[in-house]
Every structure is written in C-alpha cells, then in structure tokens.
Amino acid sequence: MNCPKCGAQLLQGAVFCGSCGHRLEGNAPGVVTTGQGNQAAGFSQSHGIHIDEDSRGQGGGYKYEVLHQPAFSLAVIQLQAEQSIQAEAGAMVSMSANIELQSQMKGGLFGALKRAAGGESAFVSTFTAHGGPGEVTLAPGAPGDIAAIEMNNQSFFVQSSSYLAGDAGLNVDTKWGGAKTFFSGEGLFVLLVQGQGLLLVSSFGAIHRKTLQPGERYVVDTGHLVAWEGSTQYTLRKAAAGFFRSMVSGEGIVAEFTGPGELLIQTRNLAALAGLLKPFFPTQGNGGGFKINLGG
C-alpha cells in the first residue's frame, strides 16, 4: 500500500505516512479504528481509543513497535533524520549514537512546578535524530505493558504515572483534579493530552480495555486507572455504602464512569503491592528492625 499524497510505501497498519506525515483516511489494513462494539454503538472515528492490533505503526517521521508484551514491554521508535519524539525523563533504555537528548522545563517554570506537583518529573526529554535515521527505546519503571494510542484530534485523561511518551506535536498539560482526586489517594492532578499523533501509555501489569455503551455505568478502583477519553463522564465515591464498610472492603475510593467511552485499566496496583511487601522490610524505629553489630 502506498501513500496517496507522496507515493511512499506504507507499513501494514499505518495510520500516518512516515515520509510526509500525511494521515491516512478510512480503515487501513491492520488499523483498529474503534474498540470492540463501537461500530454497533454508532461511535465515529474521532471517538474511541485507537490502538494498532499488531502494536506497530508509523507517524510524522517515525516508526514504532512495542515488543515483549505484556509483562516487560519495550517501545522501539525509529526516527528519520531531524525528527523528534518526547518522553518522560528517565524513560530511555537505549538510543543510537546520533540521537541528541535534550531535557527542558516544558511550559516554563510554572509548567515545571505543575508537573512536579502532579507526581511527574519537572523536565521533559526530547530525542532528535541528527545526520540520519536513529533509534530510541523507551520503557516504564515498573513491569507491565505499553499501549500505543493513535490520537485523532482527541482528548485523553492519563494518570501521571502512566504517561510514557508522545508525538512532539501533542499538548500535554497537568490539570487540577479538584477535591475528588485528593480523596482518591491518586494525587491532586491528572494529565490532559490533546491533539493528533502517537501517545504511549504504560501500566503496572497488563492493560485491560473496557468499552462503555451510552448510559452504561462502570466502577474502577482508582489505583487501576491508566487512561480514559476526555469526553467520558466520571465521579469518585466510596466503594461501599458508609465510610466504615468502604474501608473494611479494602477498596476505599473508586471512580464511577458513565458511557459512552473507553477506558484503559491496569491489572495490578503498585500501591497494593507495596502494602503486601511492607511487613517484609525492617522498620526504622528503635524498637524493631535488624540490629547489626559491626564491632568497635
């Protein structure tokens, strides 16, 4: 299959032309334009979470592939000469020698402060291939999956710990979530990602995709949320009726979504794992922990 604009050969499942950046219209082979059940629900192509089924594709000057899914995923980005991609600071695993890495405070000092308050690094890393094509590989800090989302002038909310990388043209802003996120234990801020291009999000554990029909209500533990459509309505509430019942259930605060829309959910909760491991670590107090006599 060739690009209708410049005639360059396209990869299977391509959404963008890697030579000229032209976005392909219609349902190119191998492209998931909507989630399961979306066409029956009447969603348009501008809705839904568009993820290539073979975990590979290409965009404006780059090709990407996600390997080793779902437990130890690695995103491999092939950049053409003078092309760039942005990522969270510390996400790089490896890169070609001709890749230039620049870290900057995106949005200035105020933007850096907002990012830091949202649990992210104050700096954003930009990878640019100079003098020829180059490769950069990216991975999250915890074991888990990576989803490559093709955004089509859409908006997504992403948990700050789940944002990995994205097209340099995407607008990534830290938004105040209000009191409802404070009580959820997930921080005061969420990321609002807008625009057109590639968005890479990561999870702890595998990623489970849930499609909601119009009017359908669905409840998710806040510690398992990865990303959701910006148009999807949600509220936060106690998991069970009454404060005591909610606490003893072990769930605390949950998010209740109302369709239509799609959600990405991670199958494991890092905070829950930390709670399980806590009894196995020594305490810092005077009355407990390991006591080692080093002599002297």
Side-chain angles (χ1 to χ4, degrees), residues 52-278:
D52 288 319
E53 356 178 67
D54 57 1
S55 299
R56 65 179 64 186
Q58 60 187 38
Y62 57 82
K63 300 175 184 178
Y64 68 86
E65 183 176 14
V66 180
L67 305 175
H68 314 303
Q69 293 177 289
F72 300 101
S73 297
L74 179 74
V76 181
I77 313 295
Q78 303 288 346
L79 296 172
Q80 293 185 11
E82 310 309 319
Q83 296 294 328
S84 301
I85 193 165
Q86 292 184 337
E88 275 290 274
M92 188 203 78
V93 175
S94 62
M95 64 182 182
S96 300
N98 67 314
I99 296 286
E100 181 185 21
L101 168 60
Q102 290 186 335
S103 293
Q104 59 183 4
M105 293 190 298
K106 191 172 183 179
L109 179 60
F110 179 68
L113 291 174
K114 285 175 64 179
R115 290 174 57 83
E120 307 166 82
S121 168
F123 294 87
V124 176
S125 298
T126 301
F127 300 89
T128 306
H130 287 306
E135 175 185 283
V136 58
T137 67
L138 307 168
D145 206 353
I146 297 173
I149 302 173
E150 297 284 4
M151 295 184 61
N152 184 16
N153 292 320
Q154 296 170 279
S155 297
F156 287 98
F157 285 112
V158 180
Q159 287 283 16
S160 59
S161 60
S162 295
Y163 175 81
L164 183 64
D167 193 295
L170 292 178
N171 181 31
V172 182
D173 194 13
T174 306
K175 290 295 184 181
W176 164 253
K180 62 182 181 180
T181 56
F182 176 80
F183 291 111
S184 74
E186 296 300 319
L188 294 171
F189 299 87
V190 292
L191 297 183
L192 176 61
V193 184
Q194 296 176 302
Q196 179 169 305
L198 174 66
L199 168 64
L200 295 176
V201 296
S202 64
S203 66
F204 179 51
I207 291 179
H208 174 63
R209 184 170 175 172
K210 179 66 178 178
T211 302
L212 302 182
Q213 303 302 321
E216 180 181 358
R217 296 162 60 194
Y218 197 71
V219 177
V220 183
D221 183 294
T222 53
H224 287 268
L225 286 171
V226 174
W228 60 96
E229 290 186 84
S231 58
T232 304
Q233 300 298 312
Y234 76 99
T235 58
L236 280 95
R237 62 171 176 81
K238 297 185 294 293
F243 180 79
F244 179 74
R245 290 182 180 179
S246 184
M247 290 301 104
V248 297
S249 71
E251 298 303 329
I253 301 298
V254 297
E256 181 174 311
F257 293 87
T258 302
E262 285 193 287
L263 322 172
L264 296 183
I265 302 168
Q266 59 186 11
T267 60
R268 296 294 182 267
N269 184 336
L270 191 57
L273 176 63
L276 289 173
L277 295 178
K278 187 176 181 181

